[in-house]
C-alpha cells in the first residue's frame, strides 16, 4: 500500500509494475487508482476479470489507451500460493498425469498491460522470470536501486541485454524468455518420453501402465492447444502492431521496426515449441502403434511356430493311428522288425518335413 502511494513516473523512460495475481486481486482498487493517477486511465472490468482468471487461455485484446496480452507460460514451477482464501476468483488447473516432467510443467497465465509509459504484469506467485529479469535490469543499471536517468535504453533487437526502450519491448523480452524457458525443458521431456518408448518396444518388458500413457498423451495434446493459443495471441499482437500510426521521427520509426522484428522472433520461438510438442505427440502415438504392431508380430511368429510343429507331428500321429487300429492283419504288425521300420518311416517323414519348412523359411527366426 505504501509503495503504491509513492509510485511516480520517471522523468525519462517508463515504469514497470509487477505483482502476483493474489496481490492484484487484493489491491486492485489501489492499483486502479495508481494507474488513474499515472496515466489517466483505468483497466476495464472485463480485463480485470481476465487477469484474475487462472483458466484463461492466451489471448490478446486492446483499447484506445492500452494493450492487453495474456500469455500462458510453459515452465517447471508450482501453482499459486495455497494461502489464497476459498471462494476467490483464482482457480487451479487439475493435476496432470503421465511422465513426471509433464506434471512439473506449469501452465499458469501471465498478464501484460502495455500503456504508453507503464507496463503492468500480473503473474503467478512463483514467477522466476520476473525475478531474473529484474536482477538483470538492476545489473545493467549498475546499482541495486538505479535512477531512471542513469539507465540508457538498449536499441539492440537480439537477446535481453541492457534496458528495453519501451513497455512493449519489455513485454516482448519477458514473453521471449518465458518461451525459452520451455525450450530448456525439451531435453528432459524428450528423455522421459524416450524412456517410455524403449519400455514399450522392449520384447521382454510387459507394459501395463496404459492409464499413465493415456494421461501423457492427453497432457501433450493440452500443451499443443496452449501453444496454439500462444501463437494466435502473438499473431494478433503483430497485426495490431502493424496498424499503429506512422512514426513522426526516424528514431520512433526504428523503435517500431525493432518491435516488429522482436515480435516475429517471439512468434518463431513459439512455432519451434509448437513443432516440438507436436513431434512428441506424434512420437508417443507412433510408439503405441509400434508397440501393438510388435506384439502382433510376436504373436504371429508364435502361431507360425506352433503351426509348423503341428504340421510336422500330424503325419506321425497318422502313422501311429494306423498301427494302433484293431485289425488282425496289418502289414509289419507281426514282424520282429516292424516297430523299427515304423520308427524309421516316422523319422524320415519328420526330417523331410523339417527340411521342407526350412527351405520355405517357415522355421527361420527373424532378425532382431
Amino acid at each position: 500500500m505504501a509503495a503504491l502511494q509513492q509510485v511516480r513516473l520517471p522523468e525519462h523512460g517508463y515504469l514497470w509494475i509487477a505483482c502476483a495475481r493474489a496481490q492484484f486481486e487484493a489491491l486492485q482498487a489501489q492499483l486502479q487508482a495508481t494507474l488513474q493517477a499515472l496515466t489517466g486511465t483505468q483497466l476495464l472490468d472485463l480485463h480485470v476479470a481476465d487477469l484474475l482468471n487462472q483458466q484463461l487461455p492466451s489471448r490478446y485484446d486492446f483499447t484506445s489507451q492500452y494493450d492487453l496480452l495474456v500469455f500462458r507460460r510453459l515452465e517447471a514451477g508450482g501453482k499459486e500460493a495455497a494461502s489464497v482464501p476459498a471462494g476467490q476468483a483464482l482457480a487451479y488447473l487439475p493435476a496432470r498425469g503421465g511422465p513426471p516432467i509433464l506434471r512439473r510443467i506449469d501452465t499458469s497465465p501471465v498478464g501484460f498491460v502495455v500503456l504508453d509509459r507503464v507496463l503492468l504484469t500480473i503473474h503467478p506467485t512463483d514467477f522466476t522470470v520476473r525475478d531474473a529479469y529484474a536482477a538483470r535490469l538492476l545489473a545493467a543499471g549498475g546499482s541495486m536501486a538505479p535512477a531512471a536517468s542513469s539507465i540508457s535504453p538498449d536499441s539492440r533487437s537480439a537477446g535481453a541485454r541492457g534496458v528495453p526502450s519501451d513497455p512493449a519491448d519489455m513485454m516482448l523480452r519477458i514473453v521471449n524468455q518465458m518461451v525459452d524457458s520451455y525450450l530448456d525443458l525439451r531435453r528432459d521431456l524428450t528423455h522421459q518420453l524416450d524412456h517410455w518408448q524403449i519400455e514399450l518396444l522392449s520384447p521382454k518388458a510387459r507394459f501395463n501402465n496404459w492409464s499413465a500413457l493415456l494421461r501423457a498423451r492427453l497432457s501433450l495434446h493440452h500443451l499443443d492447444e496452449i501453444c496454439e493459443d500462444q501463437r494466435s495471441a502473438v499473431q494478433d499482437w503483430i497485426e495490431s502492431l502493424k496498424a499503429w500510426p506512422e512514426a513522426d521521427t526516424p528514431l520512433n520509426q526504428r523503435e517500431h521496426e525493432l518491435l516488429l522484428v522482436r515480435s516475429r522472433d517471439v512468434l518463431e520461438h513459439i512455432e519451434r515449441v509448437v513443432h516440438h510438442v507436436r513431434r512428441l505427440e506424434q512420437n508417443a502415438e507412433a510408439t503405441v502403434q509400434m508397440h501393438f504392431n510388435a506384439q502382433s508380430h510376436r504373436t504371429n511368429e508364435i502361431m507360425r511356430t506352433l503351426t509348423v510343429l503341428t504340421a510336422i507331428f500330424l503325419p506321425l500321429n497318422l502313422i501311429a493311428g494306423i498301427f494302433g487300429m484293431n485289425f488282425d492283419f496289418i502289414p509289419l504288425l507281426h514282424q520282429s522288425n516292424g516297430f523299427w521300420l515304423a520308427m524309421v518311416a516316422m523319422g524320415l517323414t519328420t526330417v523331410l518335413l523339417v527340411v521342407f519348412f526350412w527351405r520355405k523359411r517357415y522355421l527361420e527366426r527373424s532378425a532382431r
Side-chain angles (χ1 to χ4, degrees):
M1 293 286 294
L4 286 177
Q5 295 174 358
Q6 297 176 3
V7 167
R8 298 292 184 271
L9 282 177
E11 182 178 356
H12 303 285
Y14 55 93
L15 182 68
W16 178 20
I17 302 177
C19 62
R21 186 169 287 105
Q23 296 172 339
F24 178 73
E25 187 175 16
L27 302 175
Q28 56 179 300
Q30 290 80 3
L31 280 171
Q32 291 277 44
T34 301
L35 291 177
Q36 179 68 36
L38 295 176
T39 64
T41 185
Q42 292 186 354
L43 302 181
L44 299 179
D45 293 339
L46 291 177
H47 290 165
V48 172
D50 288 343
L51 294 173
L52 292 175
N53 188 0
Q54 180 74 358
Q55 307 291 342
L56 189 71
S58 300
R59 64 184 296 267
Y60 169 76
D61 199 3
F62 65 95
T63 66
S64 59
Q65 287 82 24
Y66 61 87
D67 296 277
L68 173 68
L69 178 68
V70 177
F71 195 86
R72 296 192 73 90
R73 65 177 183 174
L74 295 175
E75 64 179 10
K79 297 179 180 178
E80 297 280 354
S83 58
V84 178
Q88 298 294 325
L90 299 180
Y92 299 136
L93 287 174
R96 296 184 299 274
I101 184 64
L102 283 176
R103 294 196 296 268
R104 292 200 302 268
I105 295 180
D106 185 15
T107 61
S108 301
V110 179
F112 299 89
V113 179
V114 183
L115 296 100
D116 291 337
R117 297 186 61 194
V118 175
L119 173 64
L120 173 64
T121 59
I122 310 300
H123 49 76
T125 305
D126 58 340
F127 192 43
T128 57
V129 175
R130 176 207 59 182
D131 300 333
Y133 207 87
R136 184 175 300 176
L137 292 178
L138 292 176
S143 65
M144 294 306 295
S149 59
S150 66
I151 304 177
S152 59
D154 179 21
S155 60
R156 292 170 290 188
S157 61
R161 302 163 294 184
V163 179
S165 57
D166 52 54
D169 191 11
M170 169 77 79
M171 177 197 70
L172 291 175
R173 295 190 186 206
I174 296 176
V175 170
N176 196 21
Q177 193 166 350
M178 291 167 59
V179 176
D180 290 342
S181 65
Y182 173 79
L183 296 178
D184 295 337
L185 295 174
R186 291 185 303 174
R187 180 176 301 177
D188 294 337
L189 185 57
T190 303
H191 287 175
Q192 179 68 54
L193 292 181
D194 286 345
H195 170 72
W196 277 44
Q197 290 177 354
I198 294 174
E199 186 177 356
L200 278 171
L201 298 179
S202 176
K204 297 182 180 179
R206 290 183 174 270
F207 186 84
N208 55 6
N209 197 11
W210 294 108
S211 59
L213 180 59
L214 178 59
R215 289 195 298 268
R217 293 173 59 189
L218 293 177
S219 298
L220 289 174
H221 183 67
H222 179 61
L223 290 182
D224 188 13
E225 293 179 347
I226 291 176
C227 294
E228 281 294 335
D229 293 336
Q230 290 177 347
R231 181 165 62 178
S232 177
V234 174
Q235 286 177 341
D236 292 342
W237 157 259
I238 293 176
E239 293 299 324
S240 175
L241 194 61
K242 292 178 181 179
W244 281 15
E246 291 290 336
D248 51 355
T249 63
L251 180 59
N252 292 337
Q253 179 66 25
R254 175 174 173 79
E255 291 179 354
H256 184 261
E257 292 175 353
L258 289 178
L259 285 179
L260 285 173
V261 171
R262 190 176 297 279
S263 299
R264 288 192 292 264
D265 181 68
V266 171
L267 183 61
E268 189 271 335
H269 284 202
I270 295 175
E271 289 177 348
R272 287 168 54 190
V273 173
V274 172
H275 174 72
H276 181 256
V277 170
R278 288 183 176 176
R279 184 170 60 84
L280 291 178
E281 190 175 5
Q282 292 173 358
N283 288 345
E285 179 69 25
T287 303
V288 173
Q289 297 298 328
M290 291 175 62
H291 169 76
F292 285 113
N293 291 338
Q295 292 290 342
S296 177
H297 179 67
R298 283 193 288 267
T299 302
N300 291 337
E301 284 194 340
I302 293 173
M303 293 303 298
R304 184 181 65 179
T305 302
L306 294 177
T307 303
V308 170
L309 293 177
T310 302
I312 290 174
F313 283 96
L314 185 60
L316 307 186
N317 292 332
L318 178 61
I319 296 174
I322 291 174
F323 281 91
M325 293 180 180
N326 295 323
F327 292 101
D328 292 334
F329 301 100
I330 296 178
L332 305 178
L333 186 62
H334 298 288
Q335 295 183 10
S336 59
N337 59 350
F339 171 77
W340 299 110
L341 291 175
M343 293 299 295
V344 169
M346 295 170 70
L348 289 175
T349 303
T350 302
V351 171
L352 291 175
L353 288 175
V354 169
V355 172
F356 174 77
F357 288 130
W358 185 268
R359 293 292 299 272
K360 292 292 186 180
R361 305 177 76 123
Y362 293 160
L363 290 174
E364 187 178 17
R365 190 177 222 181
S366 60
R368 293 190 180 273

